[in-house]
């Protein structure tokens, strides 16, 4: 007697329930925590008209385990995200700190450079002023014989310079910046030095006991050029000082007016 029953021989099975489909999604995960359960899901019992309960198959435990694993994965992902955000924030903070330090260093270097340049300019200006300054050829002295004083001591009939009072061995200084054009014995002037200055004028220093410079040497204001004495045509220790428009005798000008025009009080 033939019946139209749906048996396994027909090759057709009832579609799996919604619960079983969900359970199958967790099968791979649940297999890590349980044994034998997943295998039972593939058994022919699921082809029956009435599916067994969740409690009977143990699927409730699988779902709980899978849900727990999913929660752990999500928590781990969130922790990793927080760690990544913290690392990024730290890296950004360090980069900003490094940039601020670099900017501060650059500002400090620029400030130091500006200060150095200002100090160098000030030093150059001070040196320029010093080099353009004139001084007295002797310290703490006075004029003992005036310019154009008359008398038989001078071949021209008058004094072509001025005499500064000085004992023998007193330091004699160049009155300004210049170049030595004569240094040695000069007849009636004894040991003498002649200096050409930047403005084209000349100064002469006579009757010295010794000289400290030589021809061609550059001298600065106040530089020692020798010691006072009484060499040549001299009545005693003193310094004969002349101002000239040229290097030779006969081009003399008033030494007192010359020094005063350069800011030297005589």
């Amino acid at each position: 007697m033939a019946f139209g029953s749906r048996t396994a021989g027909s090759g057709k099975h009832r579609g799996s329930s919604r619960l079983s489909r969900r359970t199958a999604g967790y099968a791979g995960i649940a297999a890590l925590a349980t044994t034998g359960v997943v295998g039972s899901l593939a058994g022919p019992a699921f082809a029956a008209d009435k599916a067994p309960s969740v409690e009977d198959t143990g699927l409730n435990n699988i779902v709980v385990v899978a849900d727990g694993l999913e929660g752990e994965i999500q928590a781990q992902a969130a922790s990793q995200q927080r760690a990544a955000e913290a690392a990024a924030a730290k890296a950004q903070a360090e980069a900003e700190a490094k940039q601020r330090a670099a900017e501060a260093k650059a500002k400090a270097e620029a400030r130091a450079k500006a200060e150095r340049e200002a100090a160098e300019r000030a030093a150059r200006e001070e040196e320029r002023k010093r080099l353009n300054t004139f001084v007295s050829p002797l310290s703490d002295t006075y004029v003992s014989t005036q310019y154009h004083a008359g008398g038989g001591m001078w071949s021209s009939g008058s004094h072509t310079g001025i005499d500064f009072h000085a004992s023998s061995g007193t330091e004699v200084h160049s009155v300004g910046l210049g170049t030595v054009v004569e240094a040695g014995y000069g007849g009636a002037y004894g040991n003498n030095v002649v200096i050409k200055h930047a403005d084209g004028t000349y100064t002469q220093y006579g009757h010295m006991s010794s000289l400290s410079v030589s021809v061609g040497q550059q001298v600065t204001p106040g530089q020692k050029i020798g010691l006072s004495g009484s060499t040549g045509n001299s009545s005693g220790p003193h310094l004969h000082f002349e101002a000239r428009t040229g290097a030779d005798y006969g081009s003399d000008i008033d030494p007192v007016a010359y020094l005063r025009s350069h800011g030297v009080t005589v």
Side-chain angles (χ1 to χ4, degrees), residues 27 53 153 162:
S53 67
M153 290 187 62
I162 57 175

Side-chain angles (χ1 to χ4, degrees), residues 126-215:
E126 185 65 24
E127 181 66 4
R128 185 190 67 79
K129 290 179 179 179
R130 185 185 73 83
L131 294 177
N132 288 331
T133 299
F134 274 64
V135 300
S136 174
L138 293 169
S139 302
D140 301 325
T141 188
Y142 58 90
V143 176
S144 57
T145 305
Q146 298 293 332
Y147 178 58
H148 277 177
M153 290 187 62
W154 302 287
S155 59
S156 63
S158 65
H159 200 200
T160 55
I162 57 175
D163 291 341
F164 283 103
H165 173 77
S167 58
S168 184
T170 302
E171 282 194 5
V172 178
H173 309 123
S174 171
V175 296
L177 179 68
T179 303
V180 177
V181 296
E182 183 179 339
Y185 195 81
Y189 291 108
N191 294 323
N192 84 125
V193 171
V194 178
I195 298 173
K196 181 180 180 180
H197 299 284
D199 61 359
T201 60
Y202 296 76
T203 53
Q204 183 189 35
Y205 313 77
H207 307 307
M208 290 193 286
S209 60
S210 64
L211 307 180
S212 303
V213 293
S214 56
V215 173

Side-chain angles (χ1 to χ4, degrees), residues 68-124:
L69 290 175
E70 182 180 9
E72 290 179 6
I73 292 171
Q74 291 176 349
Q76 184 179 9
S79 176
Q80 292 174 345
Q81 178 65 23
R82 288 193 298 272
E85 292 174 352
K90 180 180 179 182
Q92 182 178 357
E94 291 176 348
E96 291 175 352
K98 185 177 181 180
Q99 182 178 357
R100 288 193 298 271
E103 291 174 352
K105 181 180 179 181
K107 289 181 179 179
E109 290 176 348
R111 183 167 54 252
K113 180 181 179 182
E115 290 174 353
R116 286 195 305 271
E117 291 176 348
E120 289 171 359
R121 286 195 298 271
R124 287 194 299 269

